[in-house]
Amino acid sequence: MNRISYIDTTLRDLATFPWGSSIDANDLAAAAGALAQVGAQAIEVMDPRCARAALELRTESPWDRIRAVVRHAGRTPVGIVVHGTMLWHDRPVGPDVVRQFVLSAAEAGVGRIRGLDPLNDASSLDAIAAATREARVVFVPTLVAGPAPHVTDARWEREARALASLPGAAALCVSDGGGHLSPGQLATLVETAVRVADVPVEVIVQAPGGLAPILAQSAIAAGAAAVYCAAGALAMTAARPSAETLRVALDGTANGLSVDREGLHAAARVIGPMLTADRLSLAAADLFGPAVALPPDLEAALVSRLGRLGMSRSLLEVADEVRLVATEIGAATLAYPLGDAIVTQAADHVIEGERWVDIEPVLAATALGQYGPVRGPVSEQVLAVAQAATPMDTEPVSLSGIAPDAPRGAAAEDVVLWAQFPDAVQRLVARRQSLRTEVADEEGATIDRVLLETLIQAVEGSAEAEVSVELGGARVTVRRSGPAPVAAGSAANAGDLPVDDGLHRVSSPMVGTFYRAPSPEADPFVIEGQRVEAGETLCLIEAMKLFNEITADVSGVVRKICVENAHGVEFGDLLVLIDPA
């Protein structure tokens, strides 16, 4: 029997934006411990969307989250995903930033880096390939499928050969993250990759309507040596092949999935409770709704935007427009960050009833070749609007250029994040510096960074001025550096109500913008003095164009709405006070 390797995406799918705000490092560590018993070839834990969720929604370092997983993953290699010279953001960085990024990843325990470029430009992965060889980290380049051109086009063969030929490539991954290809088309693309690559071919797919396991089987039949899967119910919410389902589907064939059955069941029991009700509801709606060729996270943002405008029935029209936009800007894929911009541009066309009146900055830079050579012809209409647009700064960021402005005392791993997410990392560093840590250690006991982050969260999430624990003979104390600020829901924050007032506090699970109503013209969801039932919508928080409903988790009377409409909120900010009486 031909044994097919299994690469696990569960942790990456758990922590991705926008759902990553509800997943903390302890959750990831618990899931990693369970997944370590399954027999996966590797566990992918972080990609650009996960990094954004950690930094911008939770003000947490992605490196700390990776370390938490590494400690519990045992001998199973932990992997991350980076996007060419943009790594985890949307602005190119120089080779020195790429090198330090890879070295920081290796120091954090990463054993595998999968690199991709939204335009399948192999040269954009040169710096990553070189850095992974220096750091002795496994490197896997990725061929990204897109809406165009057709899989029989000679461009796919050229791109696959160039990517597989990168120095140090351990495998070639074929990725269809938007469900663009039918099973037969994916098999054709995999056969092409197998023919031209001298390394094993892996396949990663996301597809609507339950197509993912069928696509995975087609890829295996075409010669794929490894498949990326998720465990348990998460496979449905992420539109991935289920490791359990694929194992059963291959039973009795010439191929078998290298996975421990009992370990999978145990991992599913650990991971299932981490899925929020809204995420499960969204997945169910997607399963029974129209099958659109969009990555699930992009579809979620699109559904949210159209629903807010009363245009939910336009979903299929926007999906068709996405394919057209991607083709007109030079046959781009929907890989991050182009996918976000393409979907936004397509939605604008449908909502406004006009095409190419203006253009998303990232798409303008792409059409003009500022991110690398385009894969196909750019339409004259797109070129005209791109040339008239305000130029986007695509000059690569270098360490030497940013060093003078980097936050004081920031570690090398923080500096490479700051090169990509300056505002979010500034908040992260300020958060750390706002608390003073003292460790009384007579016997040389040490405290790891994840525990320190947990203690910091405990202080920030309570009215206490400090929190102390005993660890291995050492007493660890985390306290605020200045006068203790009033805790969320206290007198200064909640209309002079005492802390022990018996009111239930609804806090923000993310950074974003607070809205009291579904649209500017609509009535607010709730008003002060109104009775609400558990599960009833209280407000919206908009984060990166996705409108997230915040619901009441108790029944009672709304006593105070603590944020002004359209004002920004931070993670943990008090939103609403409810009297459960």
Side-chain angles (χ1 to χ4, degrees):
M1 177 181 291
N2 183 32
R3 305 303 297 179
I4 305 300
S5 296
Y6 151 60
I7 299 167
D8 192 273
T9 65
T10 303
L11 300 187
R12 184 158 66 86
D13 293 331
L14 265 177
T16 193
F17 178 87
W19 301 286
S21 62
S22 64
I23 302 296
D24 62 25
N26 291 330
D27 292 332
L28 291 178
L35 292 169
Q37 312 304 314
V38 174
Q41 177 182 330
I43 298 173
E44 279 196 351
V45 64
M46 188 71 60
D47 67 4
R49 296 187 186 281
C50 297
R52 286 177 67 189
L55 280 166
E56 298 183 2
L57 300 186
R58 296 187 62 87
T59 318
E60 291 180 5
S61 170
W63 305 123
D64 289 338
R65 293 167 77 84
I66 289 170
R67 275 186 281 265
V69 170
V70 168
R71 276 193 296 271
H72 291 79
R75 296 182 178 180
T76 307
V78 171
I80 63 174
V81 185
V82 297
H83 288 198
T85 58
M86 291 179 281
L87 297 178
W88 281 342
H89 207 247
D90 57 7
R91 182 177 174 186
V93 296
D96 57 346
V97 178
V98 172
R99 176 179 178 273
Q100 185 56 59
F101 178 94
V102 172
L103 293 177
S104 295
E107 186 176 351
V110 170
R112 192 176 198 266
I113 294 181
R114 186 163 63 82
L116 61 89
D117 178 75
L119 300 175
N120 285 332
D121 178 17
S123 66
S124 74
L125 301 180
D126 285 340
I128 297 172
T132 52
R133 291 199 306 278
E134 178 184 352
R136 298 185 178 181
V137 170
V138 173
F139 170 55
V140 178
T142 305
L143 177 69
V144 185
H150 192 270
V151 291
T152 57
D153 191 285
R155 277 172 283 186
W156 293 109
E157 181 175 332
R158 291 197 299 268
E159 291 171 351
R161 180 178 285 108
L163 289 163
S165 300
L166 284 166
L172 173 65
C173 178
V174 175
S175 172
D176 182 14
H180 301 294
L181 305 180
S182 69
Q185 290 171 332
L186 178 60
T188 298
L189 188 56
V190 171
E191 288 170 354
T192 298
V194 170
R195 186 177 69 253
V196 302
D198 293 328
V199 293
V201 172
E202 305 172 351
V203 171
I204 182 168
V205 295
Q206 286 178 286
L211 280 173
I214 301 173
L215 286 164
Q217 283 184 275
S218 296
I220 291 169
V227 178
Y228 291 68
C229 302
L234 186 66
M236 179 185 74
T237 67
R240 298 276 190 203
S242 158
E244 297 93 326
T245 301
L246 188 58
R247 183 194 65 80
V248 174
L250 293 176
D251 190 28
T253 70
N255 300 302
L257 195 65
S258 294
V259 63
D260 181 82
R261 178 183 178 185
E262 295 303 321
L264 268 178
H265 290 170
R269 288 193 293 270
V270 172
I271 294 157
M274 298 181 188
L275 298 177
T276 58
D278 62 326
R279 188 168 184 180
L280 290 170
S281 298
L282 185 64
D286 180 56
L287 188 64
F288 292 102
V292 293
L294 292 174
D297 44 2
L298 297 185
E299 183 182 351
L302 176 60
V303 168
S304 173
R305 182 182 180 190
L306 294 177
R308 187 167 180 261
L309 296 172
M311 298 180 65
S312 297
R313 294 185 178 181
S314 299
L315 178 61
L316 287 175
E317 184 181 355
V318 175
D320 291 340
E321 182 67 14
V322 164
R323 178 180 292 272
L324 188 56
V325 168
T327 302
E328 290 175 337
I329 65 166
T333 73
L334 297 191
Y336 182 90
L338 296 189
D340 301 68
I342 289 171
V343 172
T344 298
Q345 185 77 40
D348 289 345
H349 289 179
V350 172
I351 291 168
E352 296 167 6
E354 295 182 283
R355 303 189 76 247
W356 298 116
V357 174
D358 51 22
I359 188 170
E360 288 287 304
V362 171
L363 300 189
T366 301
L368 297 176
Q370 295 174 340
Y371 284 138
V374 293
R375 304 175 66 236
V378 179
S379 77
E380 292 184 3
Q381 188 178 13
V382 172
L383 278 177
V385 70
Q387 290 166 348
T390 301
M392 185 175 179
D393 185 3
T394 56
E395 183 69 23
V397 177
S398 67
L399 284 180
S400 59
I402 66 172
D405 299 320
R408 179 177 298 179
E413 64 177 30
D414 292 329
V415 173
V416 294
L417 292 178
W418 186 75
Q420 302 168 72
F421 305 90
D423 293 339
V425 173
Q426 197 73 44
R427 290 195 301 270
L428 175 67
V429 173
R431 173 191 175 195
R432 289 172 176 167
Q433 293 176 345
S434 69
L435 297 164
R436 182 171 65 250
T437 305
E438 64 180 37
V439 180
D441 184 2
E442 296 180 356
E443 300 180 2
T446 60
I447 176 172
D448 63 67
R449 295 181 62 164
V450 172
L451 177 56
L452 178 58
E453 285 287 312
T454 302
L455 293 177
I456 290 173
Q457 291 174 17
V459 172
E460 292 182 336
S462 71
E464 301 299 325
E466 67 179 49
V467 171
S468 298
V469 297
E470 295 284 345
L471 180 66
R475 182 175 183 79
V476 180
T477 301
V478 175
R479 64 166 61 92
R480 293 185 172 90
S481 58
V486 182
S490 63
N493 196 6
D496 297 327
L497 294 168
V499 173
D500 59 351
D501 51 24
L503 298 181
H504 179 76
R505 285 150 171 77
V506 179
S507 300
S508 175
M510 63 188 68
V511 178
T513 304
F514 174 89
Y515 291 104
R516 293 189 58 189
S519 67
E521 302 78 18
D523 293 333
F525 291 107
V526 296
I527 59 174
E528 293 179 1
Q530 175 182 337
R531 180 169 180 81
V532 295
E533 301 300 324
E536 189 172 340
T537 300
L538 301 173
C539 60
L540 298 176
I541 294 181
E542 186 271 329
M544 303 173 200
K545 302 180 182 177
L546 181 68
F547 289 85
N548 303 273
E549 290 189 357
I550 307 302
T551 59
D553 46 2
V554 298
S555 299
V557 176
V558 175
R559 291 304 183 195
K560 186 172 182 63
I561 297 172
C562 305
V563 183
E564 294 293 329
N565 188 55
H567 280 212
V569 293
E570 298 289 328
F571 176 75
D573 279 0
L574 181 63
L575 303 177
V576 179
L577 291 172
I578 299 176
D579 186 349

